[in-house]
Amino acid sequence: MMSGKIPPELGNLTNLQNLDLSSNQLIGKIPFELFTASKLNRLNLSNNQLSDQIPAEIGMLSRLQYLDFSQNKLDGPIPEEIGDCQALIFLDLSKNRLNGTMPYQIGNLDFLQTLLDLSQNSMAGEIPAQLGKLIRLEILNLSRNHLSGPIPSSLQDLISLQHVDVSENNLEGPLPDNKAFYQAPNTSLIGNPGLCGEKAQGLSPCSKDTSSEKQNKSNRWKLIIAIVIPIVASVLLLILFGILIFQHRFRADRDKTEKNSGGRSSFSVWNYKSRIEFEDIVTATENFDEKHSIGRGGQGSVYKAILPSGDIFAVKRLHPSEDNVSSDEYQMKTFKSEMYSLTEIRHRNIVKMHGFSYLNGSLYFVYEFARGGSLGEWLQEEKKAKILNWDLRLKVIKGVANALSYLHHDCTPAVVHRDISGSNILLDAEFEAKISDFGTARVLKKSESNWTVPVGSYGYIAPELASTIKVTEKCDVYSFGVVALEVILGKHPHELLLCLQSGGYDMLFSYILDKRLAPPTGPIVQELVLAVTLALLCIRENPKSRPTMHQVSSELSAGTILPLLAPLQMLTLQDLMDVFSHITTNRV
């Protein structure tokens, strides 16, 4: 067991990623130098005797995912800079002597998921409404403080919340309209005399009238009734007339729907924990209003559907085709393609499909909702791009490679995606890449023709599709190469591709690294060199000279080490190609 103070020199360990000094007898301040270890993603100082305030420099840890300072003697307010630790998934500051108000910047921790525990401190003031933005949060504990005022109604938006404890405060007013609050045991709510909620165990109803108030209300109601009854009678007649018209139109629409769907059920869910009706999806998106749209691709628009149960889905509605082929025929062909592909596919790096609908001539797909958004969004936004460090970017590249290897080599018959791009790769809360949007996918059956019209996203389509329309796995290989370079460069490699087409392989390797990140050091350099080398092989103009995705996935998983012919700052792309060619020749 260690004792004494935390050495400030630990901050000099620039490659430090995990620091666990919990359950010791450490005393004194937390040295601010500790927060200069910019690669730190896990910090645990819990169960010690640390005192004084949490340094504001904590906001420098932009990659930090796990923070535990619980069971110490820390005092003072929580620094608002903690809101800059936007990669945090776990935050525990419980059982200290923290005071002041709760910083609203905690609401900026978009990825906070596992825990937010500020219990057993001395914080006062109101709960900031910004906490309602923590839609991934599963456990919230604010108990045993001096918090006052109402619980913000915005906390009803905590759709992932499973457990909550706000006991032993001075909170008042109704509970938020949230399942976790309504199902919370009495022990999680007691100690708040002004708290009310008819649905919560042990709480008084939120509205109580005195006898005089009741009498006044009774008199007012008599006056209102005398005035309103004649008006209501007239309105009811109008309503009945409107209902008759509505029923007539509803029957007509229903007949049309049944005709379009061939009398079959318009919705089916086969891969989800509970039954969902398509009408629930329509209601949640307000009949697919644009304000619920979260993306638009070449094949369709994607909407976010939040159901009253708290379940969230991504719903894709296909665009009508403008080809000479009839829209219904074209959409049904695309629909069957995605249906066939996704009903058979099960892979951690491929988005799950929960259901489908063919209704009134429109096609819909219901997917799992990837909370992290698309890879393209992460690379475009400055703050998010900095969170997406070299380790996470390599994780994304490996995940996409594994998914494509599965589609091409483990599915029988093979499946070609045909639209691999930054916008069609989603990230979950753990930064696991998931390929989505199978609207253009083709199943390569030997008994059928694999000729088709060129499809895909501009800038990712293999060059041979300009002169031929035969679908092969090598189309996906090329697109993967473009995406891999995009991940390394931090933007679409349009200029790089043009340069390479004219033989510009004398370009320095360091030139294609995203300048928003610190230059890579240590073992990560070898992994990046390998990833870039494989990406360059994937974008070769001749499809036959490109590797298979099985080969790419295997090389990345094996972590093949390429002997560097020059220092990193002098290494060229041609050096990478020469070394890899030499290694593969020797293998043969």
Side-chain angles (χ1 to χ4, degrees):
M1 182 175 291
M2 293 184 292
S3 60
K5 298 183 178 181
I6 299 176
E9 291 77 13
L10 287 176
N12 297 330
L13 303 176
T14 56
N15 291 319
L16 183 64
Q17 297 184 16
N18 186 354
L19 179 60
D20 191 340
L21 301 177
S22 60
S23 301
N24 285 289
Q25 295 181 353
L26 299 174
I27 60 173
K29 299 181 180 180
I30 301 175
F32 71 87
E33 293 88 351
L34 196 61
F35 304 123
T36 60
S38 59
K39 293 186 178 180
L40 202 62
N41 58 46
R42 186 181 179 92
L43 178 58
N44 190 348
L45 305 180
S46 63
N47 196 17
N48 281 286
Q49 301 295 318
L50 299 171
S51 58
D52 214 300
Q53 298 187 18
I54 300 174
E57 287 80 3
I58 193 170
M60 299 169 60
L61 299 179
S62 61
R63 302 182 184 182
L64 192 66
Q65 297 182 349
Y66 182 102
L67 177 62
D68 192 347
F69 287 171
S70 63
Q71 300 186 62
N72 280 286
K73 298 179 180 179
L74 300 172
D75 56 26
I78 299 174
E80 61 184 32
E81 288 80 4
I82 200 166
D84 295 330
C85 302
Q86 294 191 2
L88 272 179
I89 297 174
F90 179 104
L91 176 59
D92 191 349
L93 304 178
S94 64
K95 300 179 181 178
N96 279 286
R97 300 171 182 175
L98 300 172
N99 52 46
T101 58
M102 192 185 310
Y104 72 85
Q105 289 85 354
I106 291 179
N108 296 335
L109 304 177
D110 295 337
F111 290 92
L112 202 58
Q113 177 180 357
T114 309
L115 175 72
L116 173 58
D117 193 343
L118 306 179
S119 64
Q120 299 189 48
N121 282 288
S122 299
M123 291 185 297
E126 297 187 353
I127 299 173
Q130 287 82 355
L131 292 193
K133 297 191 295 182
L134 306 178
I135 60 173
R136 297 175 174 82
L137 188 62
E138 296 175 353
I139 301 176
L140 174 64
N141 192 343
L142 305 177
S143 64
R144 300 190 181 185
N145 279 283
H146 305 301
L147 301 172
S148 59
I151 301 177
S153 60
S154 61
L155 267 60
Q156 69 185 17
D157 297 331
L158 301 182
I159 54 179
S160 302
L161 197 63
Q162 302 295 320
H163 303 284
V164 62
D165 191 343
V166 294
S167 61
E168 305 298 338
N169 281 286
N170 296 309
L171 300 170
E172 61 185 31
L175 297 178
D177 187 11
N178 183 289
K179 183 178 179 181
F181 280 91
Y182 289 155
Q183 295 185 348
N186 186 33
T187 54
S188 296
L189 303 171
I190 59 173
N192 296 286
L195 207 58
C196 64
E198 296 177 351
K199 297 182 180 180
Q201 181 180 0
L203 295 181
S204 302
C206 287
S207 59
K208 284 188 176 182
D209 294 335
T210 62
S211 58
S212 60
E213 288 175 335
K214 289 182 178 180
Q215 182 63 39
N216 290 335
K217 285 188 177 182
S218 176
N219 293 333
R220 287 197 298 269
W221 274 112
K222 290 178 181 178
L223 178 61
I224 291 172
I225 290 172
I227 296 173
V228 168
I229 285 180
I231 298 175
V232 170
S234 301
V235 172
L236 284 175
L237 292 175
L238 293 175
I239 291 175
L240 289 173
F241 181 70
I243 289 174
L244 292 174
I245 295 176
F246 174 79
Q247 287 179 336
H248 175 74
R249 291 183 177 178
F250 176 79
R251 290 192 187 99
D253 289 341
R254 184 183 61 188
D255 293 341
K256 182 179 179 181
T257 298
E258 290 178 353
K259 181 179 179 180
N260 287 336
S261 61
R264 297 184 297 274
S265 173
S266 65
F267 192 58
S268 175
V269 174
W270 65 86
N271 187 23
Y272 195 64
K273 59 185 178 182
S274 60
R275 177 75 184 180
I276 305 295
E277 297 296 335
F278 187 66
E279 288 77 7
D280 299 331
I281 299 290
V282 175
T283 301
T285 58
E286 299 180 68
N287 199 22
F288 300 99
D289 190 280
E290 281 302 309
K291 67 181 179 182
H292 296 283
S293 176
I294 57 175
R296 183 179 179 91
Q299 294 298 310
S301 297
V302 182
Y303 301 84
K304 181 179 179 180
I306 304 178
L307 272 59
S309 61
D311 297 315
I312 307 180
F313 300 100
V315 186
K316 175 185 170 187
R317 180 172 66 176
L318 295 189
H319 297 319
S321 170
E322 297 180 358
D323 296 341
N324 293 331
V325 187
S326 71
S327 177
D328 286 348
E329 181 182 350
Y330 177 81
Q331 285 197 342
M332 182 53 71
K333 182 179 180 181
T334 307
F335 176 72
K336 289 181 178 179
S337 170
E338 186 159 1
M339 282 295 302
Y340 184 92
S341 303
L342 287 184
T343 52
E344 302 297 325
I345 290 172
R346 297 290 185 273
H347 193 277
R348 65 179 300 183
N349 295 114
I350 297 176
V351 71
K352 292 180 182 177
M353 182 176 178
H354 293 309
F356 66 93
S357 175
Y358 178 60
L359 185 63
N360 290 338
S362 295
L363 300 173
Y364 302 86
F365 303 98
V366 182
Y367 299 105
E368 66 171 316
F369 180 71
R371 300 178 184 276
S374 72
L375 173 62
E377 293 170 350
W378 275 86
L379 295 176
Q380 289 174 11
E381 297 183 25
E382 188 78 16
K383 286 187 177 181
K384 287 186 174 182
K386 291 181 178 179
I387 294 174
L388 207 59
N389 58 34
W390 294 122
D391 289 308
L392 293 177
R393 295 191 188 203
L394 284 169
K395 180 179 181 180
V396 168
I397 292 173
K398 292 176 182 178
V400 177
N402 292 339
L404 288 175
S405 177
Y406 169 81
L407 292 173
H408 294 179
H409 304 283
D410 295 327
C411 292
T412 305
V415 176
V416 180
H417 186 279
R418 298 202 299 163
D419 195 12
I420 297 297
S421 66
S423 61
N424 287 337
I425 296 170
L426 307 180
L427 303 181
D428 65 13
E430 284 73 40
F431 297 96
E432 197 71 58
K434 292 179 178 287
I435 292 178
S436 68
D437 199 346
F438 278 71
T440 59
R442 284 295 300 270
V443 178
L444 300 185
K445 296 182 179 180
K446 294 182 180 180
S447 59
E448 296 181 3
S449 171
N450 293 319
W451 297 81
T452 183
V453 295
V455 295
S457 300
Y458 177 76
Y460 300 88
I461 304 174
E464 63 269 18
L465 291 179
S467 57
T468 180
I469 52 177
K470 185 175 182 180
V471 179
T472 70
E473 297 96 328
K474 295 302 178 74
C475 301
D476 281 352
V477 175
Y478 180 88
S479 300
F480 166 80
V482 176
V483 168
L485 292 175
E486 181 178 5
V487 172
I488 300 297
L489 190 60
K491 61 181 181 180
H492 188 276
H494 175 69
E495 295 178 359
L496 175 61
L497 294 175
L498 292 176
C499 183
L500 295 178
Q501 286 174 9
S502 59
Y505 282 87
D506 57 346
M507 183 183 298
L508 292 175
F509 169 76
S510 59
Y511 178 78
I512 68 169
L513 299 178
D514 192 342
K515 301 303 185 291
R516 294 172 295 184
L517 299 183
T521 58
I524 198 73
V525 173
Q526 286 286 353
E527 293 188 64
L528 287 171
V529 166
L530 177 61
V532 171
T533 304
L534 292 170
L536 294 175
L537 294 173
C538 290
I539 61 170
R540 282 176 168 172
E541 187 172 355
N542 183 357
K544 294 182 180 179
S545 65
R546 298 171 196 157
T548 66
M549 286 312 304
H550 177 72
Q551 292 171 329
V552 173
S553 176
S554 298
E555 293 286 356
L556 290 172
S557 299
T560 302
I561 297 178
L562 303 181
L564 304 183
L565 300 179
L568 181 62
Q569 296 303 319
M570 299 177 61
L571 196 66
T572 67
L573 301 185
Q574 187 61 55
D575 291 333
L576 305 186
M577 302 295 286
D578 292 342
V579 170
F580 193 84
S581 177
H582 177 71
I583 290 178
T584 53
T585 300
N586 289 340
R587 287 178 183 173
V588 177

Coordinates of all heavy atoms in Angstrom, one line a residue, residues 409-452:
H409 N -16.3 -13.1 -47.8 CA -15.7 -14.4 -47.7 C -16.4 -15.4 -46.7 O -16.2 -16.6 -46.8 CB -14.2 -14.3 -47.3 CG -13.4 -13.4 -48.2 ND1 -13.0 -13.9 -49.4 CD2 -13.0 -12.1 -48.1 CE1 -12.3 -12.9 -50.0 NE2 -12.3 -11.8 -49.2
D410 N -17.2 -14.8 -45.8 CA -17.9 -15.7 -44.9 C -19.4 -15.9 -45.2 O -20.1 -16.8 -44.7 CB -17.8 -15.2 -43.5 CG -16.3 -15.3 -43.0 OD1 -15.6 -16.2 -43.4 OD2 -15.9 -14.4 -42.2
C411 N -20.0 -15.0 -46.0 CA -21.4 -15.1 -46.4 C -21.5 -15.9 -47.7 O -20.6 -15.8 -48.6 CB -22.0 -13.7 -46.7 SG -22.1 -12.7 -45.2
T412 N -22.4 -16.8 -47.8 CA -22.6 -17.6 -48.9 C -24.1 -17.5 -49.4 O -25.0 -17.8 -48.8 CB -22.4 -19.1 -48.6 OG1 -21.1 -19.3 -48.0 CG2 -22.5 -20.0 -49.9
P413 N -24.2 -16.9 -50.7 CA -23.2 -16.3 -51.5 C -22.6 -15.0 -51.0 O -23.2 -14.5 -50.0 CB -23.9 -16.1 -52.8 CG -25.3 -15.9 -52.4 CD -25.6 -16.8 -51.3
A414 N -21.5 -14.5 -51.6 CA -20.9 -13.3 -51.1 C -21.8 -12.1 -51.3 O -22.6 -12.1 -52.2 CB -19.6 -13.1 -51.8
V415 N -21.6 -11.1 -50.4 CA -22.4 -9.9 -50.5 C -21.4 -8.7 -50.8 O -20.4 -8.6 -50.1 CB -23.2 -9.6 -49.2 CG1 -23.9 -8.3 -49.2 CG2 -24.1 -10.7 -48.9
V416 N -21.8 -7.9 -51.8 CA -21.0 -6.7 -52.1 C -21.8 -5.5 -51.7 O -23.0 -5.4 -52.1 CB -20.6 -6.6 -53.6 CG1 -19.8 -5.4 -53.8 CG2 -19.8 -7.8 -54.0
H417 N -21.3 -4.7 -50.8 CA -22.0 -3.5 -50.3 C -22.2 -2.4 -51.3 O -23.3 -1.9 -51.5 CB -21.3 -2.9 -49.1 CG -22.0 -1.9 -48.4 ND1 -22.0 -0.5 -48.8 CD2 -22.8 -1.9 -47.2 CE1 -22.8 0.2 -48.0 NE2 -23.2 -0.6 -47.0
R418 N -21.2 -2.0 -52.1 CA -21.2 -1.1 -53.2 C -21.4 0.4 -52.8 O -21.4 1.2 -53.6 CB -22.3 -1.4 -54.2 CG -22.2 -2.8 -54.8 CD -22.9 -2.9 -56.1 NE -24.4 -2.7 -56.0 CZ -25.2 -2.4 -56.9 NH1 -24.8 -2.2 -58.2 NH2 -26.5 -2.2 -56.7
D419 N -21.4 0.7 -51.5 CA -21.5 2.1 -51.1 C -20.8 2.4 -49.8 O -21.3 3.0 -48.9 CB -23.0 2.5 -51.0 CG -23.2 4.0 -51.0 OD1 -22.2 4.7 -51.3 OD2 -24.3 4.5 -50.7
I420 N -19.6 1.8 -49.7 CA -18.8 2.1 -48.5 C -18.3 3.5 -48.5 O -17.6 3.9 -49.5 CB -17.6 1.1 -48.4 CG1 -18.1 -0.3 -48.3 CG2 -16.7 1.4 -47.3 CD1 -18.8 -0.6 -47.1
S421 N -18.6 4.3 -47.5 CA -18.2 5.7 -47.4 C -18.2 6.2 -46.0 O -18.8 5.5 -45.1 CB -19.1 6.6 -48.3 OG -20.4 6.6 -47.7
G422 N -17.7 7.3 -45.7 CA -17.7 7.8 -44.4 C -19.0 8.0 -43.8 O -19.2 7.9 -42.6
S423 N -20.0 8.4 -44.6 CA -21.4 8.6 -44.1 C -22.1 7.3 -43.8 O -23.1 7.3 -43.1 CB -22.2 9.5 -45.1 OG -22.3 8.8 -46.3
N424 N -21.7 6.2 -44.4 CA -22.3 4.9 -44.2 C -21.6 4.0 -43.2 O -21.9 2.8 -43.1 CB -22.4 4.2 -45.5 CG -23.5 4.8 -46.4 OD1 -24.4 5.4 -46.0 ND2 -23.3 4.6 -47.7
I425 N -20.7 4.6 -42.5 CA -20.0 3.9 -41.4 C -20.4 4.6 -40.1 O -20.0 5.8 -39.9 CB -18.5 3.8 -41.6 CG1 -18.1 3.1 -42.8 CG2 -17.8 3.2 -40.4 CD1 -16.7 3.2 -43.2
L426 N -21.1 3.9 -39.2 CA -21.5 4.5 -38.0 C -20.6 4.1 -36.8 O -20.0 3.0 -36.9 CB -23.0 4.1 -37.7 CG -24.0 4.4 -38.8 CD1 -25.3 3.9 -38.4 CD2 -24.0 5.8 -39.2
L427 N -20.6 4.9 -35.8 CA -19.8 4.5 -34.6 C -20.7 4.4 -33.4 O -21.6 5.2 -33.2 CB -18.8 5.6 -34.3 CG -17.8 6.0 -35.4 CD1 -16.8 7.0 -35.0 CD2 -17.0 4.7 -35.8
D428 N -20.5 3.4 -32.6 CA -21.3 3.3 -31.3 C -20.6 3.9 -30.2 O -19.6 4.6 -30.4 CB -21.6 1.8 -31.0 CG -20.4 0.9 -30.7 OD1 -19.3 1.5 -30.5 OD2 -20.5 -0.3 -30.7
A429 N -21.1 3.8 -29.0 CA -20.6 4.5 -27.8 C -19.2 4.0 -27.5 O -18.4 4.8 -26.9 CB -21.5 4.3 -26.6
E430 N -18.8 2.9 -27.9 CA -17.4 2.3 -27.7 C -16.5 2.5 -28.9 O -15.4 1.9 -29.0 CB -17.4 0.9 -27.3 CG -17.9 0.6 -25.9 CD -19.4 0.8 -25.7 OE1 -20.2 0.4 -26.6 OE2 -19.8 1.4 -24.7
F431 N -17.0 3.4 -29.9 CA -16.2 3.7 -31.1 C -16.0 2.4 -31.9 O -15.0 2.3 -32.6 CB -14.9 4.3 -30.8 CG -15.0 5.7 -30.1 CD1 -14.9 5.8 -28.7 CD2 -15.3 6.8 -30.8 CE1 -15.1 7.0 -28.1 CE2 -15.4 8.0 -30.2 CZ -15.3 8.1 -28.8
E432 N -16.9 1.5 -31.9 CA -16.9 0.3 -32.7 C -17.6 0.7 -34.0 O -18.7 1.2 -34.1 CB -17.6 -0.8 -32.1 CG -17.3 -2.2 -32.7 CD -15.9 -2.7 -32.4 OE1 -15.6 -2.8 -31.2 OE2 -15.2 -2.9 -33.4
A433 N -16.9 0.5 -35.1 CA -17.4 0.8 -36.4 C -18.5 -0.1 -36.9 O -18.3 -1.4 -36.7 CB -16.3 0.9 -37.5
K434 N -19.5 0.4 -37.5 CA -20.6 -0.5 -38.0 C -21.0 0.0 -39.4 O -21.4 1.1 -39.6 CB -21.8 -0.4 -37.0 CG -21.6 -1.0 -35.7 CD -22.8 -0.9 -34.8 CE -22.6 -1.5 -33.4 NZ -22.7 -3.0 -33.5
I435 N -20.9 -0.9 -40.3 CA -21.3 -0.6 -41.7 C -22.8 -0.6 -41.8 O -23.5 -1.5 -41.3 CB -20.7 -1.7 -42.7 CG1 -19.2 -1.5 -42.8 CG2 -21.3 -1.5 -44.1 CD1 -18.6 -2.5 -43.7
S436 N -23.4 0.4 -42.4 CA -24.8 0.5 -42.6 C -25.2 0.8 -44.0 O -24.4 0.8 -44.9 CB -25.3 1.7 -41.7 OG -24.9 2.9 -42.2
D437 N -26.5 1.0 -44.3 CA -27.1 1.3 -45.6 C -26.8 0.3 -46.7 O -25.9 0.4 -47.5 CB -26.5 2.7 -46.1 CG -27.4 3.3 -47.1 OD1 -28.2 2.6 -47.7 OD2 -27.3 4.5 -47.4
F438 N -27.5 -0.8 -46.6 CA -27.4 -1.9 -47.6 C -28.3 -1.8 -48.8 O -28.6 -2.8 -49.4 CB -27.5 -3.2 -46.9 CG -26.3 -3.7 -46.2 CD1 -25.9 -3.1 -45.0 CD2 -25.6 -4.8 -46.6 CE1 -24.8 -3.5 -44.3 CE2 -24.4 -5.2 -46.0 CZ -24.0 -4.6 -44.8
G439 N -28.8 -0.6 -49.0 CA -29.8 -0.4 -50.1 C -29.3 -0.7 -51.5 O -30.1 -1.0 -52.4
T440 N -28.0 -0.6 -51.7 CA -27.4 -0.9 -53.0 C -26.6 -2.3 -53.0 O -26.0 -2.6 -54.0 CB -26.4 0.2 -53.4 OG1 -25.4 0.3 -52.4 CG2 -27.1 1.5 -53.5
A441 N -26.7 -3.0 -51.9 CA -26.0 -4.3 -51.8 C -26.4 -5.3 -52.9 O -27.6 -5.3 -53.3 CB -26.2 -4.9 -50.4
R442 N -25.4 -6.1 -53.4 CA -25.7 -7.1 -54.3 C -25.2 -8.4 -53.8 O -24.1 -8.5 -53.2 CB -25.0 -6.8 -55.7 CG -25.7 -5.8 -56.5 CD -27.1 -6.2 -57.0 NE -27.1 -7.4 -57.8 CZ -26.9 -7.4 -59.1 NH1 -26.8 -6.2 -59.8 NH2 -26.9 -8.5 -59.8
V443 N -26.0 -9.5 -54.0 CA -25.6 -10.8 -53.7 C -25.0 -11.5 -54.9 O -25.7 -11.6 -55.9 CB -26.8 -11.6 -53.1 CG1 -26.4 -13.1 -52.8 CG2 -27.4 -11.0 -51.9
L444 N -23.8 -11.9 -54.8 CA -23.1 -12.5 -56.0 C -23.4 -13.9 -56.2 O -22.7 -14.8 -55.8 CB -21.6 -12.3 -55.9 CG -21.1 -10.8 -55.7 CD1 -19.6 -10.8 -55.7 CD2 -21.7 -9.9 -56.9
K445 N -24.5 -14.2 -56.9 CA -24.9 -15.6 -57.2 C -24.4 -16.0 -58.6 O -24.5 -15.2 -59.6 CB -26.4 -15.7 -57.3 CG -27.1 -15.4 -55.9 CD -28.6 -15.6 -56.0 CE -29.2 -15.3 -54.6 NZ -30.7 -15.5 -54.7
K446 N -23.7 -17.1 -58.6 CA -23.1 -17.6 -59.9 C -24.2 -17.8 -61.0 O -23.9 -17.7 -62.2 CB -22.4 -18.9 -59.6 CG -21.2 -18.7 -58.7 CD -20.4 -20.0 -58.5 CE -19.2 -19.8 -57.6 NZ -18.5 -21.1 -57.4
S447 N -25.4 -18.1 -60.6 CA -26.4 -18.4 -61.6 C -27.0 -17.2 -62.2 O -27.9 -17.3 -63.1 CB -27.5 -19.3 -61.0 OG -28.1 -18.7 -59.9
E448 N -26.7 -16.0 -61.6 CA -27.3 -14.8 -62.1 C -26.3 -13.8 -62.6 O -25.1 -13.9 -62.3 CB -28.1 -14.1 -60.9 CG -29.2 -14.9 -60.4 CD -30.0 -14.2 -59.2 OE1 -29.6 -13.1 -58.9 OE2 -30.9 -14.8 -58.7
S449 N -26.8 -12.9 -63.4 CA -25.9 -11.8 -63.9 C -25.5 -10.9 -62.8 O -26.3 -10.5 -62.0 CB -26.6 -11.1 -65.1 OG -25.8 -9.9 -65.4
N450 N -24.2 -10.5 -62.8 CA -23.8 -9.5 -61.8 C -23.5 -8.1 -62.5 O -22.6 -7.4 -62.0 CB -22.5 -10.0 -61.1 CG -22.9 -11.2 -60.2 OD1 -23.9 -11.2 -59.6 ND2 -22.0 -12.2 -60.3
W451 N -24.2 -7.9 -63.6 CA -24.0 -6.6 -64.3 C -25.1 -5.7 -63.8 O -26.3 -6.0 -63.6 CB -24.1 -6.8 -65.8 CG -23.0 -7.6 -66.4 CD1 -23.0 -9.0 -66.3 CD2 -21.8 -7.2 -67.0 NE1 -21.8 -9.4 -66.9 CE2 -21.1 -8.4 -67.3 CE3 -21.3 -5.9 -67.2 CZ2 -19.9 -8.3 -67.9 CZ3 -20.1 -5.9 -67.9 CH2 -19.4 -7.0 -68.2
T452 N -24.8 -4.4 -63.6 CA -25.7 -3.5 -63.1 C -25.3 -2.0 -63.4 O -24.2 -1.8 -63.9 CB -25.9 -3.6 -61.5 OG1 -26.9 -2.7 -61.0 CG2 -24.5 -3.3 -60.8

